[in-house]
Amino acid sequence: MDAVSQTGSQAAAPTARAREQHGTLINSDFQTFLVMLTTQMQNQDPLNPIDSTDYAAQLATFSGVEQQVKTNTLLESLSSQLGLSGMAQMASWVGMEARSAAPTLFDGAPLTLYPAPESGADQTVLVAYDSQGREVMRSPAPASDEPLVWAGTDSRGGPMPAGLYSFRLESYAAGEPLGISDVESFARIAEVQNGPDGPVVVLDGGAVVSPPDIKAMRGAGPQ
């Protein structure tokens, strides 16, 4: 079912529990520290008492650690909130189509691809790979950035099974290789998730794409 993923909210619960555990641990450690400090004061040598500055240094050190832990917890909370906010803003993307170099779901219908030949290329070759990264098709292509259509066939012209496929474009000039570039295609956005590094989109077929890697957006349906 298409929906904004609940991954973010589900992940927030363990984070909240972790912060609560951190707080409990700090309070417990602080009480233990006070007991140890009091015991140290009660059992010190009256003829050679511990310098008061040593006590102050111990308190300052523990207080500094406590404040750092609290600061880290606050930063984690803010980061989580910002991630959830970004995910909510991207909720309207669900159902739209995103253009990226991510693997594309082939379901039997031809795929429109968007190549980007290297500058100066006079010959290019389109290469298709299956979900296991195995080359399944290699075919000459126009040395142009105009869209081209992959019919879903292998190098011999046989039909390929449904699944995820990725594409690369090899560029040549006077027979010499210039480089290999990714080939983009449109795919429908199935859901939005809050990933470890921020919101991401999940395309039909399961490919995950970060928003900066999306080059174009459009409404669902062929255009």
Side-chain angles (χ1 to χ4, degrees):
M1 177 180 293
D2 296 339
V4 178
S5 173
Q6 298 299 316
T7 301
S9 60
Q10 292 172 352
T15 302
R17 287 196 295 270
R19 289 197 297 269
E20 182 179 352
Q21 291 171 356
H22 272 301
T24 302
L25 182 60
I26 283 293
N27 290 334
S28 176
D29 287 348
F30 189 66
Q31 294 301 321
T32 301
F33 174 77
L34 290 179
V35 171
M36 293 176 63
L37 185 63
T38 302
T39 302
Q40 183 181 22
M41 295 175 64
Q42 292 174 343
N43 293 278
Q44 64 180 322
D45 186 353
L47 299 178
N48 186 26
I50 300 175
D51 195 322
S52 60
T53 56
D54 290 339
Y55 289 124
Q58 293 180 48
L59 286 169
T61 299
F62 188 87
S63 178
V65 172
E66 180 186 23
Q67 291 302 316
Q68 184 62 52
V69 171
K70 289 182 177 179
T71 299
N72 291 342
T73 301
L74 177 60
L75 290 175
E76 290 174 0
S77 176
L78 289 175
S79 176
S80 176
Q81 291 177 19
L82 289 174
L84 291 173
S85 175
M87 187 175 67
Q89 293 176 0
M90 291 164 55
S92 61
W93 293 11
V94 175
M96 297 184 68
E97 293 183 342
R99 198 178 96 183
S100 72
T104 305
L105 178 64
F106 170 69
D107 59 4
L111 296 177
T112 300
L113 307 178
Y114 298 81
E118 298 289 341
S119 178
D122 57 21
Q123 178 186 3
T124 61
V125 176
L126 177 68
V127 185
Y129 303 85
D130 64 14
S131 60
Q132 304 300 316
R134 297 172 298 202
E135 181 179 314
V136 296
M137 190 278 300
R138 173 180 292 268
S139 175
S144 167
D145 59 2
E146 291 296 317
L148 54 88
V149 176
W150 180 60
T153 57
D154 59 21
S155 297
R156 298 180 179 180
M160 295 298 301
L164 286 174
Y165 292 88
S166 56
F167 304 88
R168 302 288 185 274
L169 191 73
E170 298 178 354
S171 296
Y172 300 85
E176 295 296 323
L178 292 179
I180 301 175
S181 56
D182 292 329
V183 177
E184 299 171 356
S185 60
F186 276 101
R188 181 178 172 278
I189 297 176
E191 62 179 310
V192 178
Q193 294 182 354
N194 189 26
D197 299 319
V200 295
V201 300
V202 181
L203 307 177
D204 278 349
V208 178
V209 183
S210 297
D213 294 330
I214 295 176
K215 307 305 181 183
M217 296 275 290
R218 70 184 187 188
Q223 295 187 19

